[in-house]
Amino acid sequence: MARRDKTNYYLDLADVVSKRGTCLRRNYGAVIVKNDEVISTGYVGAPRGRQNCSDIGTCIRQKMNIPRGERYELCRSVHAEANAIISAEREKMMGSTLYLSGREVATGELIANSCCCSMCKRMVINAGIKTVVVRDTDNEYRTIDVQEWIENDESLEGSLGY
């Protein structure tokens, strides 16, 4: 058996971290790495001390049929990327890589075309993370230069010019 390449090794870790998630729709795991050292991990779950969707047995976004990528303010959970960022020192995150893997709860399949939501993108930018690697299949992934998110500011689309 061939040795696993480093990128897929860290994505495998993110996939294992996602198994701690408590979302009823999709679970993500995030791993922040710098200089081949894991800085922190994060998964989807309610803030500490609050009940998780898996505990109460309901998801408000699912109940309201809210499509993927919309109305995250209604969600009980903190996203995996945010939890990983919260748990790390900013100095260590500067120039780091965030590895992200997500699975559909109902099927266990990897989430197609996944990426950080707009709120998590802003946190990734401010944390000083340089690169985001997103798992597409068990062996394939996309590498995103965070600088692209800065230069291609989607929040300017439809802006009121404030």
Side-chain angles (χ1 to χ4, degrees):
M1 188 164 115
R3 186 175 184 202
R4 192 75 159 143
D5 66 273
K6 275 269 172 78
T7 301
N8 275 302
Y9 165 71
Y10 290 126
L11 286 167
D12 290 346
L13 287 176
D15 197 41
V16 169
V17 170
S18 76
K19 294 177 187 333
R20 286 281 302 151
T22 60
C23 180
L24 298 173
R25 295 174 79 169
R26 295 175 186 88
N27 279 315
Y28 281 89
V31 176
I32 300 174
V33 176
K34 185 175 180 183
N35 299 327
D36 266 343
E37 179 185 349
V38 173
I39 304 301
S40 73
T41 64
Y43 56 87
V44 177
R48 287 184 174 99
R50 288 191 178 176
Q51 288 187 309
N52 292 295
C53 292
S54 59
D55 298 327
I56 60 176
T58 189
C59 167
I60 188 70
R61 291 179 69 241
Q62 195 169 39
K63 193 182 280 188
M64 296 174 69
N65 270 337
I66 297 171
R68 174 177 160 188
E70 295 179 20
R71 304 292 314 270
Y72 284 123
E73 73 277 6
L74 298 175
C75 182
R76 295 186 63 77
S77 293
V78 177
H79 288 181
E81 306 95 312
N83 273 323
I85 290 167
I86 289 165
S87 296
E89 295 177 37
R90 186 167 190 275
E91 185 64 33
K92 288 186 177 182
M93 286 188 288
M94 299 296 292
S96 67
T97 300
L98 185 143
Y99 295 87
L100 185 66
S101 180
R103 292 195 179 262
E104 299 284 351
V105 171
T107 64
E109 292 183 17
L110 288 164
I111 298 167
N113 302 312
S114 64
C115 193
C116 301
C117 73
S118 62
M119 292 182 297
C120 287
K121 283 180 180 180
R122 292 190 294 260
M123 284 186 265
V124 165
I125 290 167
N126 271 6
I129 294 168
K130 183 178 182 192
T131 309
V132 174
V133 180
V134 183
R135 173 159 272 171
D136 288 324
T137 70
D138 285 334
N139 297 302
E140 297 170 320
Y141 52 85
R142 284 171 285 124
T143 303
I144 301 160
D145 182 351
V146 174
Q147 186 63 36
E148 292 175 20
W149 290 346
I150 297 167
E151 293 168 4
N152 302 313
D153 186 351
E154 76 274 358
S155 65
L156 291 177
E157 295 171 14
S159 171
L160 298 175
Y162 289 71

